[in-house]
Amino acid sequence: MSRRVKRPLARRASGDRPKGSRPYRDVVQGHRKDDRRHPEGRAQRASKGRAGHPSLDARLGHARPDEVAKIEPAVSLPTKVQTVVVTADEANMRVDRFLEARFPGLSFSHIQRIVRKGELRVNGKRADSKDRLEEGQSVRIPPLKLDAPRAEAGLSEAARKARDTLKDMILFEDDDVMVLNKPAGLAVQGGSGITRHVDQMLDVMRDAKGQRPRLVHRLDRETAGCLLVAKTRFAATALTGSFRHRSARKIYWALVAGVPKPKQGRISTYLAKEENEDDSIMRVAAHGDEGASHAVTYYAVVETSATKLSWVSLKPVTGRTHQLRAHMAHIDHAIVGDPKYFNKENWQLPGGLQNRLHLLARRIVIPHPRGGFIDVTAPLPPHMLQSWNLLGLEADRFDPIENAPEE
């Protein structure tokens, strides 16, 4: 189910809270938090743009729709070495994304090759493809060879299959944005041992100018649900800004071991990466530890299956790696089927449930780059739907996480 709406994520006023629900508590420090809206949020909602929508200029500081032409990338092919200056709109872009935006149609392998060989330089120094650029920096660009957009008839059988698979995943699409229903088990980006991933598949969806869609955020490989993709440079800038300024609202559903107490709460910790011999996980760390970042998650129990399992709705305020998985394990209610963080000893999976990660990116609400809001909901993936049916959980129940604060 997907729709465009003209409002932010709906929340009931505290006086309309469903019977039995409670204010959110800080389950780490025992501090009670009420669910009043943040004053800054009210100020943002009071600022109106065209057609009565909240102004993206006021909220994100990005260009208005009538300024779109000013920030579209140049596409001229450099036949000799040239030096360009990073603009304000290109600030904080990765080097590889900068080249991709400036020269649509430039292949990923060509970008990696010229960066690896040191042919591209930033302020006279070698750069890594993941380095972030700053406004005013000089970028030396060698002669480039653009890949011509592939005609439909020229697509290989594998490319056609990838394109059709992506189209089947689309929950919402317009000229600027796509929201995909990513299946569990499909990686978002490449890595060790990964031969097929969403970012690679997006290459077959280039437009007539050779521009390819761009990932705006990430999901873990085994997490299913809403994955936001920008189809234009303009949309990518605006949507990335929404995540950076926390204007995006995300809701996840999970099946966890036991019943969290209190049934609504706030988890606030520091998380740091811990490298193991074969893998890495996020561990709860102390403030000031090397690499530790603050992470905040609100949770709400929606329904329980006796005292064995709970359907929990989650709203991450921050976006740390494995945040929800690490946080639920930290409060001793790990997500069912989590191969990294499920840490309960002598715990038996109820009969009929698949031993797969039960985590869904259920809903995303984010300002549309041209006004209004995108509000998209993903269905339960097959293995979670099976579990809901076996446990008698009702997927259309009211989700109390809507009352959670946004800070």
Side-chain angles (χ1 to χ4, degrees):
M1 173 182 177
S2 63
R3 59 192 185 279
R4 282 281 301 278
V5 295
K6 300 180 181 179
R7 56 178 173 78
L9 183 60
R11 292 180 300 170
R12 286 176 168 81
S14 58
D16 297 331
R17 190 179 298 116
K19 184 178 179 181
S21 66
R22 306 172 183 174
Y24 284 77
R25 299 172 184 266
D26 192 313
V27 299
V28 174
Q29 296 146 347
H31 177 63
R32 181 185 294 270
K33 298 282 289 184
D34 64 29
D35 62 353
R36 291 174 295 179
R37 294 178 177 176
H38 193 277
E40 182 180 347
R42 287 197 296 270
Q44 290 176 339
R45 280 183 282 273
S47 177
K48 298 293 183 179
R50 62 184 183 88
H53 295 305
S55 167
L56 287 181
D57 300 320
R59 299 186 65 171
L60 306 179
H62 292 303
R64 299 185 304 274
D66 59 358
E67 295 177 325
V68 174
K70 298 180 183 178
I71 66 172
E72 287 296 333
V75 295
S76 58
L77 173 65
T79 57
K80 57 183 180 181
V81 173
Q82 66 173 6
T83 300
V84 298
V85 177
V86 178
T87 67
D89 292 314
E90 294 165 334
N92 203 42
M93 287 185 70
R94 285 173 31 159
V95 168
D96 52 2
R97 300 300 188 195
F98 169 82
L99 285 173
E100 188 179 58
R102 283 261 180 166
F103 307 104
L106 191 64
S107 70
F108 176 79
S109 60
H110 191 42
I111 291 174
Q112 297 301 314
R113 185 167 59 254
I114 64 174
V115 173
R116 186 174 61 251
K117 290 183 175 180
E119 295 176 5
L120 181 140
R121 297 195 171 240
V122 178
N123 285 353
K125 299 179 180 179
R126 294 177 68 111
D128 186 86
S129 60
K130 295 181 180 179
D131 288 348
R132 300 279 177 173
L133 296 171
E134 298 177 6
E135 181 182 0
Q137 286 184 322
S138 297
V139 181
R140 175 194 181 277
I141 299 174
L144 301 175
K145 179 181 179 181
L146 299 185
D147 292 342
R150 289 170 289 186
E152 176 71 16
L155 287 179
S156 67
E157 180 65 23
R160 282 196 293 270
K161 286 182 178 180
R163 180 203 57 195
D164 293 343
T165 298
L166 285 172
K167 287 185 176 180
D168 288 342
M169 290 163 54
I170 293 173
L171 294 169
F172 170 85
E173 182 180 24
D174 63 17
D175 291 341
D176 296 289
V177 181
M178 286 192 300
V179 181
L180 302 178
N181 181 23
K182 188 192 81 67
L186 177 62
V188 172
Q189 288 184 300
S192 177
I194 296 175
T195 58
R196 180 172 178 264
H197 52 87
V198 175
D199 196 35
Q200 174 194 60
M201 296 165 69
L202 289 173
D203 200 53
V204 304
M205 299 190 76
R206 292 181 183 272
D207 62 17
K209 296 180 180 178
Q211 282 196 105
R212 71 190 301 276
R214 300 165 174 84
L215 294 169
V216 178
H217 70 125
R218 313 287 185 268
L219 294 177
D220 294 342
R221 183 175 184 173
E222 295 303 325
T223 301
C226 295
L227 180 67
L228 190 64
V229 177
K231 296 174 67 176
T232 64
R233 163 83 172 105
F234 167 66
T237 301
L239 295 171
T240 301
S242 291
F243 279 101
R244 186 166 56 249
H245 294 95
R246 298 185 183 174
S247 300
R249 300 290 171 247
K250 296 178 289 181
I251 290 177
Y252 290 75
W253 282 2
L255 189 67
V256 305
V259 180
K261 292 181 181 180
K263 288 191 173 181
Q264 296 178 0
R266 176 180 183 268
I267 307 169
S268 175
T269 71
Y270 284 82
L271 295 176
K273 181 178 287 189
E274 183 177 277
E275 299 287 352
N276 296 323
E277 185 175 339
D278 300 320
D279 205 352
S280 63
I281 63 170
M282 300 300 290
R283 62 174 178 83
V284 173
H287 179 45
D289 283 0
E290 183 178 357
S293 298
H294 190 216
V296 176
T297 301
Y298 285 92
Y299 73 85
V301 176
V302 183
E303 195 173 0
T304 64
S305 178
T307 59
K308 181 79 170 179
L309 297 163
S310 297
W311 161 18
V312 174
S313 189
L314 302 160
K315 181 191 283 188
V317 176
T318 52
R320 312 305 178 199
T321 300
H322 296 176
Q323 175 177 318
L324 303 180
R325 299 163 63 182
H327 269 174
M328 294 312 295
H330 175 62
I331 64 170
D332 199 30
H333 296 286
I335 298 174
V336 170
D338 192 331
K340 286 179 178 282
Y341 298 93
F342 199 91
N343 52 7
K344 299 184 74 66
E345 295 183 2
N346 302 318
W347 193 90
Q348 296 296 321
L349 189 71
L353 273 64
Q354 297 183 45
N355 191 22
R356 301 182 63 187
L357 182 67
H358 281 59
L359 181 61
L360 167 69
R362 171 66 175 178
R363 185 179 177 192
I364 187 166
V365 183
I366 191 168
H368 192 284
R370 300 185 189 275
F373 281 77
I374 302 162
D375 185 351
V376 182
T377 300
L380 288 166
H383 70 287
M384 290 181 66
L385 180 60
Q386 180 189 44
S387 298
W388 260 238
N389 290 336
L390 288 169
L391 298 171
L393 304 177
E394 301 175 9
D396 59 351
R397 288 179 64 94
F398 167 71
D399 188 347
I401 204 70
E402 291 189 7
N403 288 328
E406 297 176 356
E407 58 184 299

